[in-house]
PDB file of all heavy atoms in Angstrom:
ATOM      1  N   ALA S  23    -106.000  78.285 105.183  1.00 98.00           N
ATOM      2  CA  ALA S  23    -106.007  76.911 105.889  1.00 98.00           C
ATOM      3  C   ALA S  23    -107.309  76.249 105.780  1.00 98.00           C
ATOM      4  O   ALA S  23    -107.423  74.987 105.350  1.00 98.00           O
ATOM      5  CB  ALA S  23    -105.578  77.026 107.352  1.00 98.00           C
ATOM      6  N   LEU S  24    -108.469  76.896 105.840  1.00 98.00           N
ATOM      7  CA  LEU S  24    -109.791  76.328 105.722  1.00 98.00           C
ATOM      8  C   LEU S  24    -110.055  75.846 104.331  1.00 98.00           C
ATOM      9  O   LEU S  24    -110.570  74.821 104.007  1.00 98.00           O
ATOM     10  CB  LEU S  24    -110.864  77.285 106.104  1.00 98.00           C
ATOM     11  CG  LEU S  24    -110.917  77.402 107.722  1.00 98.00           C
ATOM     12  CD1 LEU S  24    -111.985  78.559 107.927  1.00 98.00           C
ATOM     13  CD2 LEU S  24    -111.472  76.218 108.274  1.00 98.00           C
ATOM     14  N   ARG S  25    -109.683  76.677 103.254  1.00 98.00           N
ATOM     15  CA  ARG S  25    -109.802  76.380 101.874  1.00 98.00           C
ATOM     16  C   ARG S  25    -109.013  75.031 101.610  1.00 98.00           C
ATOM     17  O   ARG S  25    -109.487  74.314 100.873  1.00 98.00           O
ATOM     18  CB  ARG S  25    -109.296  77.556 101.010  1.00 98.00           C
ATOM     19  CG  ARG S  25    -110.129  77.886  99.850  1.00 98.00           C
ATOM     20  CD  ARG S  25    -109.625  79.040  99.060  1.00 98.00           C
ATOM     21  NE  ARG S  25    -109.853  80.344  99.909  1.00 98.00           N
ATOM     22  CZ  ARG S  25    -108.866  81.143 100.168  1.00 98.00           C
ATOM     23  NH1 ARG S  25    -107.665  81.016  99.861  1.00 98.00           N
ATOM     24  NH2 ARG S  25    -109.134  82.229 100.871  1.00 98.00           N
ATOM     25  N   GLU S  26    -107.701  75.120 101.955  1.00 98.00           N
ATOM     26  CA  GLU S  26    -106.953  73.938 101.702  1.00 98.00           C
ATOM     27  C   GLU S  26    -107.390  72.646 102.376  1.00 98.00           C
ATOM     28  O   GLU S  26    -107.473  71.580 101.748  1.00 98.00           O
ATOM     29  CB  GLU S  26    -105.491  74.117 102.181  1.00 98.00           C
ATOM     30  CG  GLU S  26    -104.706  75.219 101.469  1.00 98.00           C
ATOM     31  CD  GLU S  26    -104.610  74.911  99.958  1.00 98.00           C
ATOM     32  OE1 GLU S  26    -104.453  73.722  99.578  1.00 98.00           O
ATOM     33  OE2 GLU S  26    -104.845  75.682  99.187  1.00 98.00           O
ATOM     34  N   ASN S  27    -107.984  72.632 103.438  1.00 98.00           N
ATOM     35  CA  ASN S  27    -108.599  71.577 104.257  1.00 98.00           C
ATOM     36  C   ASN S  27    -109.734  71.110 103.464  1.00 98.00           C
ATOM     37  O   ASN S  27    -109.972  69.900 103.363  1.00 98.00           O
ATOM     38  CB  ASN S  27    -108.989  72.003 105.686  1.00 98.00           C
ATOM     39  CG  ASN S  27    -109.314  70.909 106.500  1.00 98.00           C
ATOM     40  OD1 ASN S  27    -109.024  69.786 106.296  1.00 98.00           O
ATOM     41  ND2 ASN S  27    -110.321  71.088 107.453  1.00 98.00           N
ATOM     42  N   LEU S  28    -110.650  71.958 103.028  1.00 98.00           N
ATOM     43  CA  LEU S  28    -111.863  71.799 102.200  1.00 98.00           C
ATOM     44  C   LEU S  28    -111.384  70.944 100.956  1.00 98.00           C
ATOM     45  O   LEU S  28    -111.887  69.909 100.567  1.00 98.00           O
ATOM     46  CB  LEU S  28    -112.580  72.939 101.831  1.00 98.00           C
ATOM     47  CG  LEU S  28    -114.002  72.707 101.059  1.00 98.00           C
ATOM     48  CD1 LEU S  28    -114.853  71.780 101.913  1.00 98.00           C
ATOM     49  CD2 LEU S  28    -114.550  74.014 100.824  1.00 98.00           C
ATOM     50  N   LYS S  29    -110.401  71.543 100.215  1.00 97.00           N
ATOM     51  CA  LYS S  29    -109.958  70.767  99.012  1.00 97.00           C
ATOM     52  C   LYS S  29    -109.571  69.311  99.393  1.00 97.00           C
ATOM     53  O   LYS S  29    -109.763  68.414  98.578  1.00 97.00           O
ATOM     54  CB  LYS S  29    -108.739  71.687  98.335  1.00 97.00           C
ATOM     55  CG  LYS S  29    -109.204  72.868  97.763  1.00 97.00           C
ATOM     56  CD  LYS S  29    -107.961  73.527  97.238  1.00 97.00           C
ATOM     57  CE  LYS S  29    -108.289  74.858  96.673  1.00 97.00           C
ATOM     58  NZ  LYS S  29    -107.154  75.658  96.214  1.00 97.00           N
ATOM     59  N   ARG S  30    -108.715  69.236 100.462  1.00 97.00           N
ATOM     60  CA  ARG S  30    -108.110  67.828 100.869  1.00 97.00           C
ATOM     61  C   ARG S  30    -109.247  66.936 101.112  1.00 97.00           C
ATOM     62  O   ARG S  30    -109.331  65.910 100.719  1.00 97.00           O
ATOM     63  CB  ARG S  30    -107.206  68.089 102.004  1.00 97.00           C
ATOM     64  CG  ARG S  30    -106.417  66.759 102.327  1.00 97.00           C
ATOM     65  CD  ARG S  30    -105.485  66.987 103.446  1.00 97.00           C
ATOM     66  NE  ARG S  30    -106.064  67.339 104.609  1.00 97.00           N
ATOM     67  CZ  ARG S  30    -105.862  68.448 105.303  1.00 97.00           C
ATOM     68  NH1 ARG S  30    -105.079  69.458 104.685  1.00 97.00           N
ATOM     69  NH2 ARG S  30    -106.426  68.826 106.409  1.00 97.00           N
ATOM     70  N   ARG S  31    -110.291  67.501 101.941  1.00 98.00           N
ATOM     71  CA  ARG S  31    -111.362  66.638 102.190  1.00 98.00           C
ATOM     72  C   ARG S  31    -112.285  66.272 101.026  1.00 98.00           C
ATOM     73  O   ARG S  31    -112.745  65.070 101.072  1.00 98.00           O
ATOM     74  CB  ARG S  31    -112.164  67.330 103.432  1.00 98.00           C
ATOM     75  CG  ARG S  31    -111.459  67.388 104.686  1.00 98.00           C
ATOM     76  CD  ARG S  31    -112.216  67.970 105.744  1.00 98.00           C
ATOM     77  NE  ARG S  31    -113.314  67.133 106.058  1.00 98.00           N
ATOM     78  CZ  ARG S  31    -114.344  67.444 106.879  1.00 98.00           C
ATOM     79  NH1 ARG S  31    -114.247  68.586 107.689  1.00 98.00           N
ATOM     80  NH2 ARG S  31    -115.285  66.566 107.232  1.00 98.00           N
ATOM     81  N   LYS S  32    -112.412  67.090 100.116  1.00 97.00           N
ATOM     82  CA  LYS S  32    -113.176  66.834  98.915  1.00 97.00           C
ATOM     83  C   LYS S  32    -112.530  65.694  98.104  1.00 97.00           C
ATOM     84  O   LYS S  32    -113.170  64.803  97.579  1.00 97.00           O
ATOM     85  CB  LYS S  32    -113.456  67.962  98.182  1.00 97.00           C
ATOM     86  CG  LYS S  32    -114.475  68.957  98.548  1.00 97.00           C
ATOM     87  CD  LYS S  32    -114.819  70.088  97.671  1.00 97.00           C
ATOM     88  CE  LYS S  32    -115.973  70.879  98.049  1.00 97.00           C
ATOM     89  NZ  LYS S  32    -116.172  71.982  97.086  1.00 97.00           N
ATOM     90  N   LEU S  33    -111.178  65.917  98.051  1.00 96.00           N
ATOM     91  CA  LEU S  33    -110.365  64.850  97.292  1.00 96.00           C
ATOM     92  C   LEU S  33    -110.566  63.485  97.911  1.00 96.00           C
ATOM     93  O   LEU S  33    -110.728  62.421  97.201  1.00 96.00           O
ATOM     94  CB  LEU S  33    -108.958  65.361  97.198  1.00 96.00           C
ATOM     95  CG  LEU S  33    -107.981  64.381  96.448  1.00 96.00           C
ATOM     96  CD1 LEU S  33    -108.413  64.153  95.031  1.00 96.00           C
ATOM     97  CD2 LEU S  33    -106.589  64.882  96.521  1.00 96.00           C
TER      98      LEU S  33
END
Side-chain angles (χ1 to χ4, degrees):
L24 285 171
R25 219 175 295 119
E26 292 302 317
N27 187 29
L28 181 62
K29 287 178 187 178
R30 187 175 64 245
R31 291 181 65 181
K32 281 185 174 182
L33 178 62

